[in-house]
């Protein structure tokens, strides 16, 4: 990690990234709870909320929609991604280059690595190329570190999540995005293993306000640097309202009760 490489997508060392690559990763089913969010314009509007430090999208969405928001939204280019139609061992196609992302206006890149997959070696080598190109262009690097594959499908055990954050550190990510490992103690262990590189929590499937803000509060108390969230924001009827609460918890150190009241 290079201190400050991620400064474009952090505020006071913390991040609130809105992830919007779900149309590729999960398909249109993720837009059903809030159908307006099938329109990327709606999610870029959500991304103009003061709390949001970056919006993460795939190439086609960036090329087609980001030009209208470049003054108000920081772009995180999610470089690889695979559809839910793929039934093989976990893998992720590299869909655009860092150079192309820079042309569109990206200030950071995002890259998934499925540690433990039969494709881990090639994914890590692809990450190497992207990480080094990002360094050449002064872009921050966020790793979606999601161990899975073979006997390890969707593993969120404390030891696996600690290994996830460590992979991010070892391979040169500035920020590593991991699933919540289930308890503050487990998150704290994962943060320790990141050894000063940043850790953000993945939002996961939609939960109610109290549960979601409590998990985020616990992650922050365990030393996490924020959140990269999709469904728990854009599937809500009022995404801006939960962003008000997240802003309070992540940037203003508010309690859950205070955040529910903003
Ligand atoms: P959520 O906050 O909706 O969980 O999104 C985070 C994210 O990493 C997205 O960027 C991505 O589309 C999705 O989760 C992938 O989740 P999975 O691979 O576990 O289905």
């Amino acid at each position: 990690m290079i201190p400050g490489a991620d400064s474009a997508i952090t505020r006071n060392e913390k991040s609130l990234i809105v992830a919007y690559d779900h149309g590729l990763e999960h398909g249109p089913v993720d837009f059903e709870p809030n159908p307006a969010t099938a329109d990327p314009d709606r999610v870029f509007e959500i991304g103009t909320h003061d709390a949001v430090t970056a919006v993460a999208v795939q190439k086609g969405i960036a090329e087609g929609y980001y030009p209208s928001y470049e003054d108000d939204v920081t772009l995180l280019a999610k470089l690889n991604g695979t559809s839910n139609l793929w039934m093989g061992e976990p893998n992720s196609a590299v869909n655009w280059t860092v150079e192309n992302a820079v042309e569109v206006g990206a200030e950071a890149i995002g890259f998934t690595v499925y540690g433990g997959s039969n494709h881990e070696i090639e994914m890590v080598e692809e990450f190497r190329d992207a990480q080094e190109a990002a360094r050449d262009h002064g872009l921050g690097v966020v790793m979606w570190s999601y161990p899975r594959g073979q006997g390890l499908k969707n593993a969120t055990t404390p030891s696996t999540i600690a290994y996830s954050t460590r992979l991010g550190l070892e391979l040169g990510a500035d920020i590593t995005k991991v699933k919540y490992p289930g308890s503050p103690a487990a998150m704290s262990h994962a943060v320790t293993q990141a050894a000063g590189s940043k850790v953000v929590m993945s939002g996961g499937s939609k939960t109610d306000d109290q549960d979601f803000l409590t998990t985020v509060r616990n992650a922050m108390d365990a030393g996490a640097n924020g959140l990269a969230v999709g469904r728990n924001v854009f599937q809500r009827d009022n995404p801006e309202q939960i962003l008000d609460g997240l802003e309070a918890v992540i940037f203003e150190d508010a309690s859950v009760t205070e955040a529910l009241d903003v």
Side-chain angles (χ1 to χ4, degrees), residues 219-244:
M220 298 304 293
D221 289 344
N225 299 86
L227 182 68
V229 54
R231 291 163 290 176
N232 257 304
V233 167
F234 69 69
Q235 288 186 345
R236 282 181 151 70
D237 293 338
N238 189 344
E240 283 80 2
Q241 189 176 31
I242 195 71
L243 285 174
D244 290 341

Side-chain angles (χ1 to χ4, degrees), residues 83 99 118 141-143 175 189 232 234 242 250 253:
S83 87
E99 289 68 26
N118 285 345
V141 177
V142 183
M143 180 190 288
I175 300 177
H189 177 49
N232 257 304
F234 69 69
I242 195 71
I250 293 171
D253 205 24

Side-chain angles (χ1 to χ4, degrees), residues 205-228:
S205 54
K206 195 179 98 180
T207 52
D208 72 28
D209 290 5
Q210 170 99 34
D211 285 354
F212 181 49
L213 291 170
T214 299
T215 305
V216 176
R217 181 69 270 161
N218 287 342
M220 298 304 293
D221 289 344
N225 299 86
L227 182 68

Side-chain angles (χ1 to χ4, degrees), residues 88-170:
E89 178 72 4
N91 201 354
S92 197
V94 182
N95 303 316
W96 45 332
T97 62
V98 171
E99 289 68 26
N100 188 217
V102 168
E103 269 175 38
V104 183
E107 297 192 51
I109 63 157
F111 206 98
T112 296
V113 173
Y114 296 131
S117 162
N118 285 345
H119 298 291
E120 177 184 316
I121 304 301
E122 68 205 59
M123 295 189 84
V124 168
E125 290 179 352
E126 289 161 358
F127 176 78
R128 172 201 64 207
D129 292 346
Q131 192 266 2
E132 291 182 359
R135 291 287 178 249
D136 288 345
H137 290 277
L139 268 57
V141 177
V142 183
M143 180 190 288
W144 274 231
S145 187
Y146 290 172
R148 64 183 62 168
Q150 302 180 74
L152 227 178
K153 301 246 183 258
N154 291 320
T156 55
T157 63
S159 62
T160 301
I161 299 302
Y163 209 157
S164 307
T165 62
R166 192 72 193 190
L167 288 183
L169 169 74
E170 302 275 349

